[in-house]
Amino acid sequence: MKLLRFLVKIVLVLFSLLVVLLIVSSIYHYSQTSEDKTELLKYLGEHHHFVQTSDGTYSVYEKGKGHDVILFREGLLTVSNILDFMPLADELSKNHRVIMIDPLGYGMSSSPKTKRTNENINHEYHTIVSKLTDDQDQLTFINHSISGAYTMDYVNRYAGHVKRVINIDGSRPVKGLKVTDKHPFELISLAPVLNETGIIRLGFQFETTRQLTGFNEILRDMTPLYDKTLQKEYRKMNQWAFLTGDMMKYYTESNNNIARIKGMKYPADIAVLSFAASDTTKKYSDWLHLQNEAFSNTAVQHTLKIEGPHYLHHTSQTLEEDIIKFTHY
């Protein structure tokens, strides 16, 4: 009995230490996140501002002038399209007005109030876009991954002033796709806890963790298009904005949203350029076909395969050149 009581005491002590460590880690994470955001705002400078709508507060980055407006939309686990698209946006801002909006729940934007369906996401997005643009503006959407599905839904709801759509390995309904919200509950519930307690921040300090999550590979691919300062901000932002509860709301609905665009086509008067990454075409044999089946007018809508990973905008100078040519159309 004495041994049992001793073991119980040991377990209680260890548990108490763990609780204390998690509390300390959470406090540090909260404090450091505030400092990180202050530093990020200084980095973004005069081109960044916050915009309030009835849905929430958006973090917005604008650069360039004119009525030819380019809007960027991010991938599912990309913490901020502002940082993710910065080099491409800077280049395009020489001849266009570029707008990067972090959606609700991402970056420094506020949390969403509704379920993360295409309909709700695009209702919110249309509200903020309408606030930032006017009737004279012609819109071009540049999408990466899951946002290819969002924008397919968007142009079928709010075609309006949309002139072009550019997809960077945009998501398409793949046969046999499994709905992510059927994953074990623990996977969904644990991720935000790891974020809020600072465990993700701690994990990013270790080479092994960065290697296992593929983050080192992403940073490596960003060279030389992304300078060291931008990479630093990108890395620091992932420490507090990755796998938040808000991000997981998008995650659990993601494959449902992709499935919802099955059978949809782009309006015939919208020019479309869909880039297909060679790494993805190797994984899905029908990937090119899936891109092409979304077209209703092949005279102005086409697919271009480019060598590289899913994050083509991190690696490909050719991609940038092709986008510049296309946006002069």
Side-chain angles (χ1 to χ4, degrees):
M1 292 296 293
K2 288 184 178 180
L3 178 60
L4 180 60
R5 286 197 295 270
F6 176 74
L7 291 175
V8 169
K9 287 181 180 180
I10 291 294
V11 170
L12 289 174
V13 168
L14 291 175
F15 179 76
S16 298
L17 285 173
L18 177 61
V19 170
V20 170
L21 287 173
L22 287 175
I23 291 173
V24 171
S25 176
S26 299
I27 293 172
Y28 173 76
H29 175 62
Y30 180 82
S31 173
Q32 191 59 48
T33 296
S34 179
E35 291 184 20
D36 289 345
K37 289 181 179 179
T38 299
E39 180 184 311
L40 178 60
L41 287 172
K42 289 180 181 178
Y43 172 76
L44 296 175
E46 62 182 0
H47 298 293
H48 179 270
H49 59 116
F50 291 98
V51 178
Q52 182 73 41
T53 74
S54 58
D55 301 306
T57 303
Y58 290 87
S59 176
V60 178
Y61 186 94
E62 297 185 66
K63 195 173 183 180
K65 298 178 180 180
H67 292 295
D68 200 344
V69 179
I70 296 178
L71 295 144
F72 292 83
R73 303 187 79 174
E74 72 300 315
L76 180 63
L77 297 181
T78 299
V79 295
S80 168
N81 84 86
I82 292 176
L83 294 183
D84 197 54
F85 280 115
M86 186 71 76
L88 180 58
D90 281 344
E91 185 61 35
L92 292 174
S93 70
K94 295 174 183 177
N95 297 295
H96 309 270
R97 178 184 172 209
V98 300
I99 303 176
M100 295 186 285
I101 305 165
D102 278 343
L104 298 177
Y106 282 80
M108 292 185 286
S109 295
S110 61
S111 296
K113 303 171 185 176
T114 60
K115 189 175 182 180
R116 298 295 80 199
T117 62
N118 288 335
E119 181 179 3
N120 290 335
I121 291 168
N122 282 325
H123 171 78
E124 295 163 358
Y125 197 70
H126 185 62
T127 300
I128 181 66
V129 168
S130 297
K131 195 162 187 173
L132 293 168
T133 60
D134 59 39
D135 290 342
Q136 297 180 67
D137 293 330
Q138 295 292 303
L139 310 181
T140 297
F141 285 90
I142 297 183
N143 318 289
H144 174 237
S145 196
I146 185 68
S147 58
Y150 299 156
T151 293
M152 168 61 86
D153 177 88
Y154 184 95
V155 297
N156 277 278
R157 293 180 189 273
Y158 313 103
H161 302 284
V162 181
K163 182 179 180 181
R164 312 179 194 91
V165 170
I166 299 169
N167 296 307
I168 301 174
D169 222 27
S171 295
R172 297 292 302 150
V174 177
K175 186 178 180 180
L177 198 64
K178 293 183 178 180
V179 181
T180 49
D181 63 4
K182 293 189 182 300
H183 283 180
F185 174 76
E186 292 77 9
L187 175 66
I188 306 303
S189 60
L190 183 60
V193 174
L194 295 176
N195 177 287
E196 292 166 11
T197 56
I199 302 301
I200 288 178
R201 178 182 289 278
L202 178 64
F204 270 106
Q205 310 307 312
F206 296 99
E207 177 76 18
T208 302
T209 306
R210 295 196 302 270
Q211 195 71 37
L212 287 173
T213 58
F215 193 68
N216 272 354
E217 185 177 353
I218 289 175
L219 290 177
R220 183 201 67 210
D221 287 345
M222 284 180 163
T223 307
L225 297 177
Y226 295 67
D227 62 36
K228 290 183 179 180
T229 304
L230 176 53
Q231 287 193 43
K232 175 189 172 186
E233 292 301 325
Y234 191 90
R235 181 170 59 251
K236 291 181 72 173
M237 196 171 190
N238 272 274
Q239 293 176 5
W240 56 266
F242 186 58
L243 296 184
T244 62
D246 287 335
M247 183 177 282
M248 296 314 292
K249 292 174 185 176
Y250 284 86
Y251 177 81
T252 56
E253 197 62 30
S254 60
N255 282 336
N256 284 330
N257 282 333
I258 296 171
R260 289 180 179 117
I261 67 166
K262 187 174 179 61
M264 285 188 185
K265 293 184 180 292
Y266 293 103
D269 60 340
I270 295 178
V272 181
L273 175 58
S274 290
F275 293 99
S278 61
D279 285 7
T280 309
T281 60
K282 291 173 185 175
K283 185 176 181 180
Y284 300 110
S285 59
D286 58 345
W287 193 246
L288 288 173
H289 168 72
L290 289 169
Q291 301 295 328
N292 293 333
E293 74 173 8
F295 301 152
S296 62
N297 181 1
T298 55
V300 293
Q301 300 170 356
H302 59 283
T303 302
L304 187 61
K305 181 180 175 182
I306 290 188
E307 290 297 318
H310 182 54
Y311 287 84
L312 283 171
H313 53 295
H314 289 177
T315 64
S316 177
Q317 191 69 45
T318 302
L319 176 90
E320 182 177 290
E321 293 168 357
D322 286 330
I323 288 177
I324 290 172
K325 290 177 185 176
F326 186 69
T327 53
H328 280 83
Y329 162 78

